[in-house]
PDB file of all heavy atoms in Angstrom:
ATOM      1  N   SER A 113      -6.979  17.635  -3.664  1.00 97.00           N
ATOM      2  CA  SER A 113      -7.452  18.986  -3.329  1.00 97.00           C
ATOM      3  C   SER A 113      -6.315  19.867  -2.828  1.00 97.00           C
ATOM      4  O   SER A 113      -6.360  21.096  -2.957  1.00 97.00           O
ATOM      5  CB  SER A 113      -8.551  18.911  -2.265  1.00 97.00           C
ATOM      6  OG  SER A 113      -9.696  18.274  -2.784  1.00 97.00           O
ATOM      7  N   ALA A 114      -5.302  19.239  -2.245  1.00 97.00           N
ATOM      8  CA  ALA A 114      -4.142  19.991  -1.754  1.00 97.00           C
ATOM      9  C   ALA A 114      -3.084  20.170  -2.834  1.00 97.00           C
ATOM     10  O   ALA A 114      -2.044  20.794  -2.577  1.00 97.00           O
ATOM     11  CB  ALA A 114      -3.540  19.286  -0.549  1.00 97.00           C
ATOM     12  N   GLY A 115      -3.340  19.616  -4.031  1.00 97.00           N
ATOM     13  CA  GLY A 115      -2.399  19.792  -5.137  1.00 97.00           C
ATOM     14  C   GLY A 115      -1.469  18.627  -5.367  1.00 97.00           C
ATOM     15  O   GLY A 115      -0.484  18.758  -6.112  1.00 97.00           O
ATOM     16  N   ILE A 116      -1.757  17.477  -4.759  1.00 98.00           N
ATOM     17  CA  ILE A 116      -0.901  16.297  -4.917  1.00 98.00           C
ATOM     18  C   ILE A 116      -1.609  15.300  -5.833  1.00 98.00           C
ATOM     19  O   ILE A 116      -2.711  14.837  -5.537  1.00 98.00           O
ATOM     20  CB  ILE A 116      -0.594  15.638  -3.559  1.00 98.00           C
ATOM     21  CG1 ILE A 116       0.118  16.632  -2.639  1.00 98.00           C
ATOM     22  CG2 ILE A 116       0.241  14.376  -3.745  1.00 98.00           C
ATOM     23  CD1 ILE A 116       0.298  16.137  -1.211  1.00 98.00           C
ATOM     24  N   GLU A 117      -0.992  14.950  -6.933  1.00 98.00           N
ATOM     25  CA  GLU A 117      -1.550  13.965  -7.850  1.00 98.00           C
ATOM     26  C   GLU A 117      -1.354  12.573  -7.265  1.00 98.00           C
ATOM     27  O   GLU A 117      -0.335  12.307  -6.610  1.00 98.00           O
ATOM     28  CB  GLU A 117      -0.852  14.072  -9.212  1.00 98.00           C
ATOM     29  CG  GLU A 117      -1.552  13.319 -10.323  1.00 98.00           C
ATOM     30  CD  GLU A 117      -0.896  13.553 -11.687  1.00 98.00           C
ATOM     31  OE1 GLU A 117       0.049  14.375 -11.763  1.00 98.00           O
ATOM     32  OE2 GLU A 117      -1.333  12.917 -12.658  1.00 98.00           O
ATOM     33  N   THR A 118      -2.315  11.692  -7.483  1.00 98.00           N
ATOM     34  CA  THR A 118      -2.223  10.352  -6.885  1.00 98.00           C
ATOM     35  C   THR A 118      -2.521   9.277  -7.918  1.00 98.00           C
ATOM     36  O   THR A 118      -3.222   9.479  -8.899  1.00 98.00           O
ATOM     37  CB  THR A 118      -3.210  10.185  -5.714  1.00 98.00           C
ATOM     38  OG1 THR A 118      -4.542  10.322  -6.195  1.00 98.00           O
ATOM     39  CG2 THR A 118      -2.939  11.186  -4.613  1.00 98.00           C
ATOM     40  N   GLU A 119      -1.981   8.097  -7.624  1.00 97.00           N
ATOM     41  CA  GLU A 119      -2.310   6.861  -8.333  1.00 97.00           C
ATOM     42  C   GLU A 119      -2.709   5.837  -7.277  1.00 97.00           C
ATOM     43  O   GLU A 119      -1.936   5.586  -6.348  1.00 97.00           O
ATOM     44  CB  GLU A 119      -1.115   6.347  -9.140  1.00 97.00           C
ATOM     45  CG  GLU A 119      -1.354   5.005  -9.825  1.00 97.00           C
ATOM     46  CD  GLU A 119      -0.102   4.415 -10.456  1.00 97.00           C
ATOM     47  OE1 GLU A 119       0.918   5.126 -10.524  1.00 97.00           O
ATOM     48  OE2 GLU A 119      -0.145   3.237 -10.853  1.00 97.00           O
ATOM     49  N   GLU A 120      -3.912   5.287  -7.393  1.00 97.00           N
ATOM     50  CA  GLU A 120      -4.395   4.357  -6.370  1.00 97.00           C
ATOM     51  C   GLU A 120      -4.352   2.921  -6.885  1.00 97.00           C
ATOM     52  O   GLU A 120      -4.662   2.663  -8.052  1.00 97.00           O
ATOM     53  CB  GLU A 120      -5.834   4.681  -5.959  1.00 97.00           C
ATOM     54  CG  GLU A 120      -6.046   6.112  -5.508  1.00 97.00           C
ATOM     55  CD  GLU A 120      -6.446   7.017  -6.643  1.00 97.00           C
ATOM     56  OE1 GLU A 120      -7.250   6.608  -7.496  1.00 97.00           O
ATOM     57  OE2 GLU A 120      -5.933   8.141  -6.695  1.00 97.00           O
ATOM     58  N   ALA A 121      -3.985   1.989  -5.999  1.00 96.00           N
ATOM     59  CA  ALA A 121      -4.006   0.561  -6.324  1.00 96.00           C
ATOM     60  C   ALA A 121      -4.608  -0.179  -5.146  1.00 96.00           C
ATOM     61  O   ALA A 121      -4.102  -0.093  -4.030  1.00 96.00           O
ATOM     62  CB  ALA A 121      -2.600   0.055  -6.623  1.00 96.00           C
ATOM     63  N   CYS A 122      -5.698  -0.905  -5.395  1.00 96.00           N
ATOM     64  CA  CYS A 122      -6.402  -1.651  -4.351  1.00 96.00           C
ATOM     65  C   CYS A 122      -6.571  -3.081  -4.829  1.00 96.00           C
ATOM     66  O   CYS A 122      -7.142  -3.325  -5.898  1.00 96.00           O
ATOM     67  CB  CYS A 122      -7.763  -1.001  -4.084  1.00 96.00           C
ATOM     68  SG  CYS A 122      -8.690  -1.744  -2.737  1.00 96.00           S
ATOM     69  N   MET A 123      -6.094  -4.037  -4.064  1.00 94.00           N
ATOM     70  CA  MET A 123      -6.111  -5.439  -4.496  1.00 94.00           C
ATOM     71  C   MET A 123      -6.148  -6.350  -3.277  1.00 94.00           C
ATOM     72  O   MET A 123      -6.102  -5.887  -2.133  1.00 94.00           O
ATOM     73  CB  MET A 123      -4.876  -5.742  -5.339  1.00 94.00           C
ATOM     74  CG  MET A 123      -3.561  -5.541  -4.598  1.00 94.00           C
ATOM     75  SD  MET A 123      -2.125  -5.420  -5.697  1.00 94.00           S
ATOM     76  CE  MET A 123      -2.370  -3.768  -6.379  1.00 94.00           C
ATOM     77  N   GLU A 124      -6.248  -7.660  -3.522  1.00 89.00           N
ATOM     78  CA  GLU A 124      -6.217  -8.613  -2.415  1.00 89.00           C
ATOM     79  C   GLU A 124      -4.863  -8.520  -1.706  1.00 89.00           C
ATOM     80  O   GLU A 124      -3.828  -8.259  -2.321  1.00 89.00           O
ATOM     81  CB  GLU A 124      -6.465 -10.032  -2.916  1.00 89.00           C
ATOM     82  CG  GLU A 124      -7.883 -10.267  -3.408  1.00 89.00           C
ATOM     83  CD  GLU A 124      -8.136 -11.711  -3.798  1.00 89.00           C
ATOM     84  OE1 GLU A 124      -7.171 -12.513  -3.778  1.00 89.00           O
ATOM     85  OE2 GLU A 124      -9.289 -12.034  -4.127  1.00 89.00           O
ATOM     86  N   TYR A 125      -4.894  -8.773  -0.416  1.00 88.00           N
ATOM     87  CA  TYR A 125      -3.701  -8.620   0.419  1.00 88.00           C
ATOM     88  C   TYR A 125      -2.522  -9.429  -0.129  1.00 88.00           C
ATOM     89  O   TYR A 125      -1.385  -8.948  -0.172  1.00 88.00           O
ATOM     90  CB  TYR A 125      -4.027  -9.052   1.845  1.00 88.00           C
ATOM     91  CG  TYR A 125      -2.910  -8.865   2.830  1.00 88.00           C
ATOM     92  CD1 TYR A 125      -2.663  -7.615   3.381  1.00 88.00           C
ATOM     93  CD2 TYR A 125      -2.110  -9.929   3.221  1.00 88.00           C
ATOM     94  CE1 TYR A 125      -1.631  -7.424   4.288  1.00 88.00           C
ATOM     95  CE2 TYR A 125      -1.075  -9.751   4.117  1.00 88.00           C
ATOM     96  CZ  TYR A 125      -0.832  -8.504   4.656  1.00 88.00           C
ATOM     97  OH  TYR A 125       0.189  -8.324   5.541  1.00 88.00           O
ATOM     98  N   SER A 126      -2.796 -10.661  -0.579  1.00 84.00           N
ATOM     99  CA  SER A 126      -1.729 -11.539  -1.047  1.00 84.00           C
ATOM    100  C   SER A 126      -1.030 -10.996  -2.294  1.00 84.00           C
ATOM    101  O   SER A 126       0.130 -11.314  -2.555  1.00 84.00           O
ATOM    102  CB  SER A 126      -2.274 -12.939  -1.336  1.00 84.00           C
ATOM    103  OG  SER A 126      -3.312 -12.874  -2.303  1.00 84.00           O
ATOM    104  N   ALA A 127      -1.737 -10.163  -3.068  1.00 91.00           N
ATOM    105  CA  ALA A 127      -1.162  -9.636  -4.306  1.00 91.00           C
ATOM    106  C   ALA A 127      -0.251  -8.437  -4.069  1.00 91.00           C
ATOM    107  O   ALA A 127       0.465  -8.001  -4.985  1.00 91.00           O
ATOM    108  CB  ALA A 127      -2.282  -9.247  -5.271  1.00 91.00           C
ATOM    109  N   LEU A 128      -0.244  -7.891  -2.867  1.00 91.00           N
ATOM    110  CA  LEU A 128       0.551  -6.700  -2.578  1.00 91.00           C
ATOM    111  C   LEU A 128       2.038  -6.994  -2.398  1.00 91.00           C
ATOM    112  O   LEU A 128       2.878  -6.128  -2.617  1.00 91.00           O
ATOM    113  CB  LEU A 128       0.040  -6.021  -1.307  1.00 91.00           C
ATOM    114  CG  LEU A 128      -1.260  -5.228  -1.394  1.00 91.00           C
ATOM    115  CD1 LEU A 128      -1.687  -4.790  -0.005  1.00 91.00           C
ATOM    116  CD2 LEU A 128      -1.092  -4.020  -2.302  1.00 91.00           C
ATOM    117  N   ALA A 129       2.360  -8.220  -1.992  1.00 88.00           N
ATOM    118  CA  ALA A 129       3.735  -8.544  -1.597  1.00 88.00           C
ATOM    119  C   ALA A 129       4.778  -8.174  -2.650  1.00 88.00           C
ATOM    120  O   ALA A 129       5.783  -7.519  -2.323  1.00 88.00           O
ATOM    121  CB  ALA A 129       3.832 -10.026  -1.224  1.00 88.00           C
ATOM    122  N   PRO A 130       4.609  -8.564  -3.931  1.00 91.00           N
ATOM    123  CA  PRO A 130       5.657  -8.217  -4.903  1.00 91.00           C
ATOM    124  C   PRO A 130       5.807  -6.722  -5.127  1.00 91.00           C
ATOM    125  O   PRO A 130       6.916  -6.222  -5.351  1.00 91.00           O
ATOM    126  CB  PRO A 130       5.208  -8.941  -6.186  1.00 91.00           C
ATOM    127  CG  PRO A 130       3.755  -9.239  -6.001  1.00 91.00           C
ATOM    128  CD  PRO A 130       3.577  -9.425  -4.545  1.00 91.00           C
ATOM    129  N   ILE A 131       4.699  -5.971  -5.043  1.00 92.00           N
ATOM    130  CA  ILE A 131       4.766  -4.517  -5.228  1.00 92.00           C
ATOM    131  C   ILE A 131       5.519  -3.880  -4.063  1.00 92.00           C
ATOM    132  O   ILE A 131       6.375  -3.011  -4.250  1.00 92.00           O
ATOM    133  CB  ILE A 131       3.351  -3.924  -5.339  1.00 92.00           C
ATOM    134  CG1 ILE A 131       2.605  -4.528  -6.527  1.00 92.00           C
ATOM    135  CG2 ILE A 131       3.413  -2.403  -5.486  1.00 92.00           C
ATOM    136  CD1 ILE A 131       1.167  -4.099  -6.633  1.00 92.00           C
ATOM    137  N   MET A 132       5.193  -4.335  -2.851  1.00 92.00           N
ATOM    138  CA  MET A 132       5.877  -3.801  -1.675  1.00 92.00           C
ATOM    139  C   MET A 132       7.366  -4.135  -1.724  1.00 92.00           C
ATOM    140  O   MET A 132       8.215  -3.305  -1.403  1.00 92.00           O
ATOM    141  CB  MET A 132       5.250  -4.375  -0.402  1.00 92.00           C
ATOM    142  CG  MET A 132       3.785  -4.032  -0.202  1.00 92.00           C
ATOM    143  SD  MET A 132       3.506  -2.276   0.117  1.00 92.00           S
ATOM    144  CE  MET A 132       4.250  -2.121   1.744  1.00 92.00           C
ATOM    145  N   LYS A 133       7.672  -5.344  -2.144  1.00 89.00           N
ATOM    146  CA  LYS A 133       9.072  -5.778  -2.201  1.00 89.00           C
ATOM    147  C   LYS A 133       9.866  -4.956  -3.209  1.00 89.00           C
ATOM    148  O   LYS A 133      11.022  -4.586  -2.968  1.00 89.00           O
ATOM    149  CB  LYS A 133       9.146  -7.260  -2.561  1.00 89.00           C
ATOM    150  CG  LYS A 133      10.556  -7.829  -2.555  1.00 89.00           C
ATOM    151  CD  LYS A 133      10.547  -9.316  -2.864  1.00 89.00           C
ATOM    152  CE  LYS A 133      11.964  -9.890  -2.854  1.00 89.00           C
ATOM    153  NZ  LYS A 133      11.963 -11.344  -3.171  1.00 89.00           N
ATOM    154  N   ASP A 134       9.245  -4.638  -4.346  1.00 92.00           N
ATOM    155  CA  ASP A 134       9.932  -3.860  -5.382  1.00 92.00           C
ATOM    156  C   ASP A 134      10.043  -2.384  -5.017  1.00 92.00           C
ATOM    157  O   ASP A 134      10.772  -1.636  -5.671  1.00 92.00           O
ATOM    158  CB  ASP A 134       9.189  -3.990  -6.720  1.00 92.00           C
ATOM    159  CG  ASP A 134       9.298  -5.391  -7.313  1.00 92.00           C
ATOM    160  OD1 ASP A 134      10.191  -6.134  -6.876  1.00 92.00           O
ATOM    161  OD2 ASP A 134       8.483  -5.724  -8.190  1.00 92.00           O
ATOM    162  N   GLY A 135       9.310  -1.947  -3.998  1.00 93.00           N
ATOM    163  CA  GLY A 135       9.376  -0.550  -3.583  1.00 93.00           C
ATOM    164  C   GLY A 135       8.598   0.393  -4.466  1.00 93.00           C
ATOM    165  O   GLY A 135       8.788   1.623  -4.394  1.00 93.00           O
ATOM    166  N   ASP A 136       7.694  -0.158  -5.293  1.00 94.00           N
ATOM    167  CA  ASP A 136       6.938   0.665  -6.231  1.00 94.00           C
ATOM    168  C   ASP A 136       5.691   1.234  -5.559  1.00 94.00           C
ATOM    169  O   ASP A 136       4.557   0.932  -5.926  1.00 94.00           O
ATOM    170  CB  ASP A 136       6.558  -0.175  -7.463  1.00 94.00           C
ATOM    171  CG  ASP A 136       5.844   0.643  -8.530  1.00 94.00           C
ATOM    172  OD1 ASP A 136       6.015   1.875  -8.530  1.00 94.00           O
ATOM    173  OD2 ASP A 136       5.116   0.048  -9.356  1.00 94.00           O
ATOM    174  N   TRP A 137       5.908   2.056  -4.538  1.00 97.00           N
ATOM    175  CA  TRP A 137       4.804   2.666  -3.800  1.00 97.00           C
ATOM    176  C   TRP A 137       5.338   3.841  -2.991  1.00 97.00           C
ATOM    177  O   TRP A 137       6.536   3.913  -2.695  1.00 97.00           O
ATOM    178  CB  TRP A 137       4.142   1.645  -2.863  1.00 97.00           C
ATOM    179  CG  TRP A 137       5.095   1.072  -1.833  1.00 97.00           C
ATOM    180  CD1 TRP A 137       6.018   0.076  -2.030  1.00 97.00           C
ATOM    181  CD2 TRP A 137       5.244   1.485  -0.468  1.00 97.00           C
ATOM    182  NE1 TRP A 137       6.728  -0.163  -0.862  1.00 97.00           N
ATOM    183  CE2 TRP A 137       6.272   0.684   0.104  1.00 97.00           C
ATOM    184  CE3 TRP A 137       4.609   2.442   0.328  1.00 97.00           C
ATOM    185  CZ2 TRP A 137       6.668   0.825   1.431  1.00 97.00           C
ATOM    186  CZ3 TRP A 137       5.012   2.583   1.660  1.00 97.00           C
ATOM    187  CH2 TRP A 137       6.021   1.775   2.193  1.00 97.00           C
ATOM    188  N   ASP A 138       4.441   4.746  -2.657  1.00 98.00           N
ATOM    189  CA  ASP A 138       4.798   5.882  -1.806  1.00 98.00           C
ATOM    190  C   ASP A 138       4.098   5.830  -0.454  1.00 98.00           C
ATOM    191  O   ASP A 138       4.689   6.149   0.577  1.00 98.00           O
ATOM    192  CB  ASP A 138       4.435   7.193  -2.504  1.00 98.00           C
ATOM    193  CG  ASP A 138       5.226   7.400  -3.782  1.00 98.00           C
ATOM    194  OD1 ASP A 138       6.445   7.602  -3.687  1.00 98.00           O
ATOM    195  OD2 ASP A 138       4.620   7.343  -4.868  1.00 98.00           O
ATOM    196  N   LEU A 139       2.815   5.426  -0.455  1.00 98.00           N
ATOM    197  CA  LEU A 139       2.020   5.338   0.762  1.00 98.00           C
ATOM    198  C   LEU A 139       1.285   4.006   0.779  1.00 98.00           C
ATOM    199  O   LEU A 139       0.743   3.583  -0.254  1.00 98.00           O
ATOM    200  CB  LEU A 139       1.010   6.486   0.822  1.00 98.00           C
ATOM    201  CG  LEU A 139       1.567   7.913   0.864  1.00 98.00           C
ATOM    202  CD1 LEU A 139       0.444   8.923   0.643  1.00 98.00           C
ATOM    203  CD2 LEU A 139       2.276   8.184   2.184  1.00 98.00           C
ATOM    204  N   TYR A 140       1.271   3.374   1.924  1.00 98.00           N
ATOM    205  CA  TYR A 140       0.598   2.076   2.066  1.00 98.00           C
ATOM    206  C   TYR A 140      -0.434   2.195   3.183  1.00 98.00           C
ATOM    207  O   TYR A 140      -0.089   2.370   4.348  1.00 98.00           O
ATOM    208  CB  TYR A 140       1.631   1.000   2.387  1.00 98.00           C
ATOM    209  CG  TYR A 140       1.067  -0.365   2.713  1.00 98.00           C
ATOM    210  CD1 TYR A 140      -0.035  -0.886   2.044  1.00 98.00           C
ATOM    211  CD2 TYR A 140       1.660  -1.159   3.702  1.00 98.00           C
ATOM    212  CE1 TYR A 140      -0.540  -2.142   2.340  1.00 98.00           C
ATOM    213  CE2 TYR A 140       1.172  -2.416   4.013  1.00 98.00           C
ATOM    214  CZ  TYR A 140       0.077  -2.906   3.328  1.00 98.00           C
ATOM    215  OH  TYR A 140      -0.420  -4.147   3.636  1.00 98.00           O
ATOM    216  N   LEU A 141      -1.706   2.117   2.808  1.00 98.00           N
ATOM    217  CA  LEU A 141      -2.804   2.230   3.764  1.00 98.00           C
ATOM    218  C   LEU A 141      -3.120   0.849   4.328  1.00 98.00           C
ATOM    219  O   LEU A 141      -3.462  -0.077   3.591  1.00 98.00           O
ATOM    220  CB  LEU A 141      -4.033   2.811   3.069  1.00 98.00           C
ATOM    221  CG  LEU A 141      -5.310   2.958   3.898  1.00 98.00           C
ATOM    222  CD1 LEU A 141      -5.089   3.902   5.075  1.00 98.00           C
ATOM    223  CD2 LEU A 141      -6.464   3.444   3.022  1.00 98.00           C
ATOM    224  N   ILE A 142      -3.025   0.733   5.638  1.00 97.00           N
ATOM    225  CA  ILE A 142      -3.166  -0.572   6.301  1.00 97.00           C
ATOM    226  C   ILE A 142      -3.939  -0.400   7.603  1.00 97.00           C
ATOM    227  O   ILE A 142      -3.915   0.675   8.217  1.00 97.00           O
ATOM    228  CB  ILE A 142      -1.765  -1.186   6.566  1.00 97.00           C
ATOM    229  CG1 ILE A 142      -1.864  -2.575   7.211  1.00 97.00           C
ATOM    230  CG2 ILE A 142      -0.908  -0.248   7.400  1.00 97.00           C
ATOM    231  CD1 ILE A 142      -0.521  -3.279   7.354  1.00 97.00           C
ATOM    232  N   ALA A 143      -4.637  -1.453   8.017  1.00 96.00           N
ATOM    233  CA  ALA A 143      -5.274  -1.498   9.334  1.00 96.00           C
ATOM    234  C   ALA A 143      -4.417  -2.408  10.208  1.00 96.00           C
ATOM    235  O   ALA A 143      -4.477  -3.625  10.088  1.00 96.00           O
ATOM    236  CB  ALA A 143      -6.702  -2.022   9.229  1.00 96.00           C
ATOM    237  N   ALA A 144      -3.592  -1.815  11.060  1.00 95.00           N
ATOM    238  CA  ALA A 144      -2.560  -2.553  11.782  1.00 95.00           C
ATOM    239  C   ALA A 144      -2.953  -2.798  13.233  1.00 95.00           C
ATOM    240  O   ALA A 144      -3.457  -1.896  13.910  1.00 95.00           O
ATOM    241  CB  ALA A 144      -1.243  -1.794  11.734  1.00 95.00           C
ATOM    242  N   ASN A 145      -2.670  -4.009  13.705  1.00 92.00           N
ATOM    243  CA  ASN A 145      -2.996  -4.377  15.081  1.00 92.00           C
ATOM    244  C   ASN A 145      -2.044  -3.716  16.063  1.00 92.00           C
ATOM    245  O   ASN A 145      -0.857  -3.552  15.793  1.00 92.00           O
ATOM    246  CB  ASN A 145      -2.950  -5.891  15.241  1.00 92.00           C
ATOM    247  CG  ASN A 145      -3.539  -6.336  16.556  1.00 92.00           C
ATOM    248  OD1 ASN A 145      -2.890  -6.296  17.587  1.00 92.00           O
ATOM    249  ND2 ASN A 145      -4.797  -6.743  16.529  1.00 92.00           N
ATOM    250  N   LEU A 146      -2.574  -3.363  17.241  1.00 94.00           N
ATOM    251  CA  LEU A 146      -1.802  -2.640  18.245  1.00 94.00           C
ATOM    252  C   LEU A 146      -1.521  -3.434  19.516  1.00 94.00           C
ATOM    253  O   LEU A 146      -0.779  -2.951  20.369  1.00 94.00           O
ATOM    254  CB  LEU A 146      -2.552  -1.353  18.643  1.00 94.00           C
ATOM    255  CG  LEU A 146      -2.780  -0.323  17.554  1.00 94.00           C
ATOM    256  CD1 LEU A 146      -3.680   0.793  18.070  1.00 94.00           C
ATOM    257  CD2 LEU A 146      -1.456   0.241  17.063  1.00 94.00           C
ATOM    258  N   ALA A 147      -2.123  -4.603  19.677  1.00 88.00           N
ATOM    259  CA  ALA A 147      -2.048  -5.214  21.014  1.00 88.00           C
ATOM    260  C   ALA A 147      -1.986  -6.732  20.997  1.00 88.00           C
ATOM    261  O   ALA A 147      -2.554  -7.375  21.870  1.00 88.00           O
ATOM    262  CB  ALA A 147      -3.242  -4.763  21.856  1.00 88.00           C
ATOM    263  N   MET A 148      -1.309  -7.316  20.003  1.00 88.00           N
ATOM    264  CA  MET A 148      -1.077  -8.756  20.105  1.00 88.00           C
ATOM    265  C   MET A 148      -0.315  -9.047  21.402  1.00 88.00           C
ATOM    266  O   MET A 148      -0.504 -10.072  22.038  1.00 88.00           O
ATOM    267  CB  MET A 148      -0.288  -9.263  18.902  1.00 88.00           C
ATOM    268  CG  MET A 148      -1.010  -9.132  17.574  1.00 88.00           C
ATOM    269  SD  MET A 148      -2.559 -10.059  17.465  1.00 88.00           S
ATOM    270  CE  MET A 148      -1.977 -11.720  17.202  1.00 88.00           C
TER     271      MET A 148
END
């Protein structure tokens, strides 16, 4: 709506590692712990 085109990828957590490692992403949506 703001004029930014997107490509979405949603998969099991274990399958994300190679994509993250290769840097083939712009934004990573995560639910991160704050108080271990």
Side-chain angles (χ1 to χ4, degrees):
S113 294
I116 300 172
E117 193 175 355
T118 62
E119 176 188 350
E120 306 91 41
C122 184
M123 61 197 74
E124 291 184 355
Y125 184 80
S126 58
L128 285 173
I131 300 175
M132 298 293 291
K133 184 178 180 181
D134 291 343
D136 184 22
W137 60 280
D138 296 292
L139 298 169
Y140 173 38
L141 178 61
I142 182 174
N145 191 279
L146 298 173
M148 296 299 283

